[in-house]
Short mmCIF file of all heavy atoms in Angstrom, two decimals:
data_model
loop_
_atom_site.label_atom_id
_atom_site.label_comp_id
_atom_site.label_asym_id
_atom_site.label_seq_id
_atom_site.Cartn_x
_atom_site.Cartn_y
_atom_site.Cartn_z
N ALA J 118 0.33 -6.08 -5.17
CA ALA J 118 0.80 -4.71 -4.99
C ALA J 118 0.94 -3.99 -6.34
O ALA J 118 0.54 -2.83 -6.49
CB ALA J 118 2.12 -4.71 -4.24
N LYS J 119 1.50 -4.70 -7.31
CA LYS J 119 1.70 -4.09 -8.63
C LYS J 119 0.36 -3.81 -9.29
O LYS J 119 0.17 -2.73 -9.90
CB LYS J 119 2.52 -5.04 -9.50
CG LYS J 119 2.84 -4.49 -10.88
CD LYS J 119 3.71 -5.48 -11.66
CE LYS J 119 4.02 -4.92 -13.05
NZ LYS J 119 4.84 -5.88 -13.83
N ASP J 120 -0.58 -4.74 -9.17
CA ASP J 120 -1.89 -4.57 -9.78
C ASP J 120 -2.65 -3.44 -9.09
O ASP J 120 -3.36 -2.67 -9.73
CB ASP J 120 -2.68 -5.88 -9.66
CG ASP J 120 -4.04 -5.80 -10.31
OD1 ASP J 120 -4.10 -5.57 -11.52
OD2 ASP J 120 -5.04 -5.98 -9.58
N PHE J 121 -2.46 -3.33 -7.77
CA PHE J 121 -3.14 -2.26 -7.03
C PHE J 121 -2.66 -0.89 -7.48
O PHE J 121 -3.43 0.05 -7.55
CB PHE J 121 -2.90 -2.45 -5.53
CG PHE J 121 -3.56 -1.40 -4.68
CD1 PHE J 121 -4.92 -1.44 -4.44
CD2 PHE J 121 -2.81 -0.36 -4.13
CE1 PHE J 121 -5.53 -0.46 -3.65
CE2 PHE J 121 -3.42 0.62 -3.35
CZ PHE J 121 -4.78 0.56 -3.11
N SER J 122 -1.38 -0.78 -7.82
CA SER J 122 -0.83 0.50 -8.26
C SER J 122 -1.53 0.99 -9.51
O SER J 122 -1.78 2.20 -9.66
CB SER J 122 0.67 0.34 -8.53
OG SER J 122 1.36 -0.04 -7.37
N SER J 123 -1.87 0.08 -10.40
CA SER J 123 -2.51 0.47 -11.65
C SER J 123 -4.00 0.76 -11.49
O SER J 123 -4.62 1.34 -12.36
CB SER J 123 -2.31 -0.62 -12.70
OG SER J 123 -2.95 -1.83 -12.27
N ARG J 124 -4.59 0.34 -10.34
CA ARG J 124 -6.01 0.50 -10.12
C ARG J 124 -6.34 1.78 -9.36
O ARG J 124 -7.51 2.15 -9.24
CB ARG J 124 -6.57 -0.68 -9.33
CG ARG J 124 -6.65 -1.98 -10.11
CD ARG J 124 -6.97 -3.13 -9.18
NE ARG J 124 -7.13 -4.36 -9.93
CZ ARG J 124 -8.30 -4.93 -10.22
NH1 ARG J 124 -9.41 -4.36 -9.82
NH2 ARG J 124 -8.34 -6.04 -10.92
N THR J 125 -5.36 2.43 -8.75
CA THR J 125 -5.63 3.59 -7.90
C THR J 125 -5.11 4.86 -8.54
O THR J 125 -4.35 4.83 -9.52
CB THR J 125 -4.95 3.42 -6.53
OG1 THR J 125 -3.55 3.36 -6.72
CG2 THR J 125 -5.45 2.17 -5.84
N ASN J 126 -5.54 5.96 -7.93
CA ASN J 126 -5.09 7.26 -8.44
C ASN J 126 -3.86 7.76 -7.71
O ASN J 126 -3.53 8.94 -7.77
CB ASN J 126 -6.22 8.29 -8.33
CG ASN J 126 -6.75 8.39 -6.90
OD1 ASN J 126 -6.23 7.72 -6.01
ND2 ASN J 126 -7.78 9.22 -6.70
N ILE J 127 -3.19 6.82 -6.96
CA ILE J 127 -1.96 7.21 -6.28
C ILE J 127 -0.84 7.21 -7.30
O ILE J 127 -0.63 6.24 -8.03
CB ILE J 127 -1.63 6.22 -5.14
CG1 ILE J 127 -2.77 6.20 -4.11
CG2 ILE J 127 -0.32 6.57 -4.48
CD1 ILE J 127 -2.56 5.19 -3.01
N SER J 128 -0.15 8.30 -7.37
CA SER J 128 0.96 8.36 -8.31
C SER J 128 2.17 7.65 -7.73
O SER J 128 2.59 7.96 -6.62
CB SER J 128 1.31 9.83 -8.63
OG SER J 128 1.67 10.51 -7.45
N GLY J 129 2.69 6.70 -8.47
CA GLY J 129 3.84 5.94 -7.99
C GLY J 129 3.48 4.50 -7.68
O GLY J 129 2.31 4.16 -7.46
N ALA J 130 4.49 3.64 -7.70
CA ALA J 130 4.26 2.21 -7.51
C ALA J 130 4.11 1.86 -6.03
O ALA J 130 4.61 2.55 -5.15
CB ALA J 130 5.43 1.42 -8.10
N VAL J 131 3.41 0.75 -5.79
CA VAL J 131 3.27 0.20 -4.44
C VAL J 131 4.18 -1.03 -4.36
O VAL J 131 4.11 -1.93 -5.19
CB VAL J 131 1.82 -0.21 -4.15
CG1 VAL J 131 1.72 -0.87 -2.78
CG2 VAL J 131 0.90 1.01 -4.23
N SER J 132 5.04 -1.04 -3.40
CA SER J 132 5.95 -2.18 -3.22
C SER J 132 5.60 -2.92 -1.92
O SER J 132 4.80 -2.43 -1.12
CB SER J 132 7.41 -1.73 -3.20
OG SER J 132 7.61 -0.81 -2.12
N VAL J 133 6.22 -4.08 -1.72
CA VAL J 133 5.89 -4.88 -0.53
C VAL J 133 7.15 -5.54 0.00
O VAL J 133 8.06 -5.88 -0.76
CB VAL J 133 4.81 -5.95 -0.87
CG1 VAL J 133 5.31 -6.92 -1.92
CG2 VAL J 133 4.37 -6.70 0.38
N LYS J 134 7.20 -5.70 1.31
CA LYS J 134 8.36 -6.32 1.95
C LYS J 134 7.86 -7.34 2.99
O LYS J 134 6.85 -7.12 3.66
CB LYS J 134 9.22 -5.26 2.63
CG LYS J 134 10.51 -5.79 3.25
CD LYS J 134 11.33 -4.67 3.84
CE LYS J 134 12.62 -5.17 4.46
NZ LYS J 134 13.41 -4.06 5.06
N PHE J 135 8.59 -8.44 3.12
CA PHE J 135 8.22 -9.52 4.05
C PHE J 135 9.33 -9.71 5.08
O PHE J 135 10.51 -9.52 4.76
CB PHE J 135 8.02 -10.84 3.30
CG PHE J 135 7.10 -10.73 2.12
CD1 PHE J 135 7.60 -10.39 0.85
CD2 PHE J 135 5.74 -10.97 2.25
CE1 PHE J 135 6.76 -10.30 -0.24
CE2 PHE J 135 4.89 -10.87 1.15
CZ PHE J 135 5.40 -10.53 -0.09
N ASN J 136 8.95 -10.11 6.29
CA ASN J 136 9.99 -10.52 7.24
C ASN J 136 10.39 -11.96 6.94
O ASN J 136 9.88 -12.59 5.98
CB ASN J 136 9.55 -10.34 8.70
CG ASN J 136 8.45 -11.31 9.10
OD1 ASN J 136 7.79 -11.90 8.25
ND2 ASN J 136 8.23 -11.47 10.40
N SER J 137 11.29 -12.54 7.73
CA SER J 137 11.88 -13.83 7.38
C SER J 137 10.88 -14.97 7.27
O SER J 137 11.02 -15.86 6.43
CB SER J 137 12.95 -14.22 8.42
OG SER J 137 12.37 -14.32 9.72
N ASP J 138 9.84 -14.98 8.10
CA ASP J 138 8.88 -16.08 8.05
C ASP J 138 7.51 -15.65 7.51
O ASP J 138 6.52 -16.39 7.64
CB ASP J 138 8.70 -16.71 9.44
CG ASP J 138 8.21 -15.72 10.48
OD1 ASP J 138 8.03 -14.52 10.12
OD2 ASP J 138 8.02 -16.12 11.64
N ASP J 139 7.46 -14.49 6.90
CA ASP J 139 6.23 -13.97 6.29
C ASP J 139 5.12 -13.71 7.31
O ASP J 139 3.95 -13.62 6.94
CB ASP J 139 5.71 -14.91 5.19
CG ASP J 139 6.58 -14.86 3.94
OD1 ASP J 139 7.47 -13.99 3.89
OD2 ASP J 139 6.36 -15.69 3.04
N SER J 140 5.47 -13.61 8.57
CA SER J 140 4.43 -13.32 9.57
C SER J 140 4.08 -11.83 9.58
O SER J 140 3.05 -11.44 10.13
CB SER J 140 4.89 -13.76 10.96
OG SER J 140 6.06 -13.04 11.35
N GLU J 141 4.96 -11.02 8.99
CA GLU J 141 4.69 -9.59 8.87
C GLU J 141 4.87 -9.17 7.41
O GLU J 141 5.86 -9.51 6.77
CB GLU J 141 5.64 -8.78 9.76
CG GLU J 141 5.42 -8.99 11.25
CD GLU J 141 6.31 -8.11 12.09
OE1 GLU J 141 6.96 -7.21 11.51
OE2 GLU J 141 6.36 -8.32 13.31
N VAL J 142 3.88 -8.43 6.91
CA VAL J 142 3.92 -7.93 5.52
C VAL J 142 3.73 -6.42 5.56
O VAL J 142 2.79 -5.92 6.20
CB VAL J 142 2.81 -8.58 4.66
CG1 VAL J 142 2.84 -8.00 3.24
CG2 VAL J 142 2.97 -10.09 4.63
N THR J 143 4.61 -5.70 4.88
CA THR J 143 4.53 -4.23 4.86
C THR J 143 4.43 -3.74 3.43
O THR J 143 5.27 -4.08 2.58
CB THR J 143 5.78 -3.60 5.52
OG1 THR J 143 5.90 -4.10 6.87
CG2 THR J 143 5.64 -2.08 5.55
N PHE J 144 3.37 -2.99 3.16
CA PHE J 144 3.19 -2.37 1.84
C PHE J 144 3.70 -0.93 1.93
O PHE J 144 3.40 -0.19 2.89
CB PHE J 144 1.71 -2.35 1.45
CG PHE J 144 1.14 -3.72 1.20
CD1 PHE J 144 0.49 -4.40 2.21
CD2 PHE J 144 1.24 -4.31 -0.05
CE1 PHE J 144 -0.05 -5.66 1.99
CE2 PHE J 144 0.72 -5.57 -0.28
CZ PHE J 144 0.06 -6.25 0.74
N TYR J 145 4.48 -0.54 0.93
CA TYR J 145 5.01 0.83 0.87
C TYR J 145 4.31 1.58 -0.26
O TYR J 145 4.34 1.13 -1.43
CB TYR J 145 6.52 0.81 0.64
CG TYR J 145 7.28 0.24 1.83
CD1 TYR J 145 7.71 -1.08 1.84
CD2 TYR J 145 7.56 1.05 2.93
CE1 TYR J 145 8.39 -1.60 2.92
CE2 TYR J 145 8.25 0.53 4.01
CZ TYR J 145 8.66 -0.80 4.01
OH TYR J 145 9.33 -1.31 5.10
N VAL J 146 3.66 2.67 0.09
CA VAL J 146 2.93 3.47 -0.89
C VAL J 146 3.65 4.81 -1.07
O VAL J 146 4.46 5.20 -0.23
CB VAL J 146 1.47 3.69 -0.42
CG1 VAL J 146 0.73 2.36 -0.34
CG2 VAL J 146 1.43 4.41 0.92
N PRO J 147 3.36 5.50 -2.14
CA PRO J 147 3.99 6.83 -2.34
C PRO J 147 3.67 7.77 -1.20
O PRO J 147 2.65 7.64 -0.52
CB PRO J 147 3.38 7.31 -3.66
CG PRO J 147 3.00 6.04 -4.38
CD PRO J 147 2.55 5.10 -3.31
N ASP J 148 4.53 8.76 -1.00
CA ASP J 148 4.37 9.68 0.12
C ASP J 148 3.07 10.47 0.04
O ASP J 148 2.52 10.92 1.06
CB ASP J 148 5.55 10.66 0.16
CG ASP J 148 6.86 9.94 0.47
OD1 ASP J 148 6.78 8.81 1.01
OD2 ASP J 148 7.94 10.49 0.18
N GLY J 149 2.55 10.59 -1.17
CA GLY J 149 1.30 11.36 -1.33
C GLY J 149 0.12 10.71 -0.66
O GLY J 149 -0.94 11.35 -0.49
N ALA J 150 0.24 9.46 -0.24
CA ALA J 150 -0.89 8.77 0.41
C ALA J 150 -1.25 9.41 1.73
O ALA J 150 -2.38 9.25 2.22
CB ALA J 150 -0.53 7.30 0.61
N THR J 151 -0.34 10.16 2.30
CA THR J 151 -0.64 10.81 3.59
C THR J 151 -1.71 11.88 3.43
O THR J 151 -2.35 12.29 4.41
CB THR J 151 0.63 11.44 4.19
OG1 THR J 151 1.18 12.37 3.24
CG2 THR J 151 1.66 10.39 4.52
N GLU J 152 -1.93 12.38 2.19
CA GLU J 152 -2.92 13.42 1.94
C GLU J 152 -4.31 12.85 1.74
O GLU J 152 -5.28 13.61 1.66
CB GLU J 152 -2.52 14.23 0.69
CG GLU J 152 -1.12 14.82 0.74
CD GLU J 152 -0.97 15.82 1.89
OE1 GLU J 152 -1.98 16.50 2.22
OE2 GLU J 152 0.13 15.92 2.47
N LEU J 153 -4.43 11.53 1.67
CA LEU J 153 -5.74 10.92 1.47
C LEU J 153 -6.58 11.03 2.73
O LEU J 153 -6.07 11.17 3.84
CB LEU J 153 -5.58 9.44 1.11
CG LEU J 153 -4.86 9.13 -0.21
CD1 LEU J 153 -4.67 7.61 -0.34
CD2 LEU J 153 -5.66 9.65 -1.39
N SER J 154 -7.89 10.96 2.52
CA SER J 154 -8.79 11.00 3.67
C SER J 154 -8.69 9.69 4.45
O SER J 154 -8.20 8.67 3.94
CB SER J 154 -10.24 11.21 3.21
OG SER J 154 -10.69 10.07 2.48
N LYS J 155 -9.18 9.73 5.67
CA LYS J 155 -9.13 8.52 6.51
C LYS J 155 -9.96 7.40 5.87
O LYS J 155 -9.60 6.22 5.94
CB LYS J 155 -9.64 8.85 7.91
CG LYS J 155 -9.47 7.70 8.89
CD LYS J 155 -9.85 8.14 10.29
CE LYS J 155 -9.62 7.00 11.28
NZ LYS J 155 -9.95 7.42 12.67
N SER J 156 -11.05 7.80 5.22
CA SER J 156 -11.91 6.81 4.57
C SER J 156 -11.18 6.13 3.42
O SER J 156 -11.24 4.91 3.25
CB SER J 156 -13.19 7.50 4.07
OG SER J 156 -13.99 6.57 3.36
N ASP J 157 -10.46 6.94 2.61
CA ASP J 157 -9.72 6.37 1.47
C ASP J 157 -8.59 5.47 1.97
O ASP J 157 -8.31 4.41 1.38
CB ASP J 157 -9.16 7.49 0.59
CG ASP J 157 -10.25 8.19 -0.21
OD1 ASP J 157 -11.33 7.60 -0.36
OD2 ASP J 157 -10.00 9.33 -0.64
N LYS J 158 -7.94 5.89 3.02
CA LYS J 158 -6.88 5.06 3.60
C LYS J 158 -7.46 3.72 4.06
O LYS J 158 -6.86 2.67 3.86
CB LYS J 158 -6.22 5.77 4.78
CG LYS J 158 -5.40 7.00 4.40
CD LYS J 158 -4.84 7.67 5.65
CE LYS J 158 -4.03 8.92 5.32
NZ LYS J 158 -3.53 9.60 6.54
N GLY J 159 -8.64 3.78 4.67
CA GLY J 159 -9.29 2.55 5.14
C GLY J 159 -9.64 1.63 3.99
O GLY J 159 -9.52 0.40 4.10
N THR J 160 -10.09 2.23 2.87
CA THR J 160 -10.45 1.43 1.70
C THR J 160 -9.22 0.72 1.14
O THR J 160 -9.27 -0.47 0.80
CB THR J 160 -11.07 2.33 0.61
OG1 THR J 160 -12.24 2.96 1.13
CG2 THR J 160 -11.43 1.51 -0.62
N ILE J 161 -8.11 1.45 1.05
CA ILE J 161 -6.86 0.85 0.56
C ILE J 161 -6.41 -0.28 1.48
O ILE J 161 -6.04 -1.37 1.04
CB ILE J 161 -5.76 1.93 0.46
CG1 ILE J 161 -6.12 2.96 -0.62
CG2 ILE J 161 -4.40 1.29 0.18
CD1 ILE J 161 -5.18 4.15 -0.65
N ALA J 162 -6.47 -0.02 2.78
CA ALA J 162 -6.02 -1.03 3.75
C ALA J 162 -6.88 -2.29 3.68
O ALA J 162 -6.37 -3.41 3.67
CB ALA J 162 -6.07 -0.43 5.16
N SER J 163 -8.20 -2.10 3.60
CA SER J 163 -9.10 -3.27 3.53
C SER J 163 -8.81 -4.10 2.30
O SER J 163 -8.76 -5.34 2.37
CB SER J 163 -10.56 -2.80 3.51
OG SER J 163 -10.89 -2.15 4.71
#
């Protein structure tokens, strides 16, 4: 997540949170990510 923050043009850090058994992982991106195109969002997700 930290390395990804430095590789993208998203302003702000990307953080991550895990549930108790790591079966769910959630990445938190800056609010500006909502302005990205669907294609860019897909690239980040992949």
Side-chain angles (χ1 to χ4, degrees):
K119 182 178 180 181
D120 182 61
F121 180 76
S122 299
S123 63
R124 288 170 177 257
T125 63
N126 55 3
I127 299 176
S128 59
V131 176
S132 60
V133 61
K134 184 177 180 181
F135 309 88
N136 69 342
S137 60
D138 59 359
D139 288 352
S140 62
E141 294 184 9
V142 178
T143 303
F144 293 94
Y145 293 98
V146 296
D148 294 340
T151 57
E152 305 298 328
L153 296 174
S154 67
K155 187 174 182 179
S156 176
D157 288 340
K158 291 177 181 178
T160 300
I161 294 172
S163 296

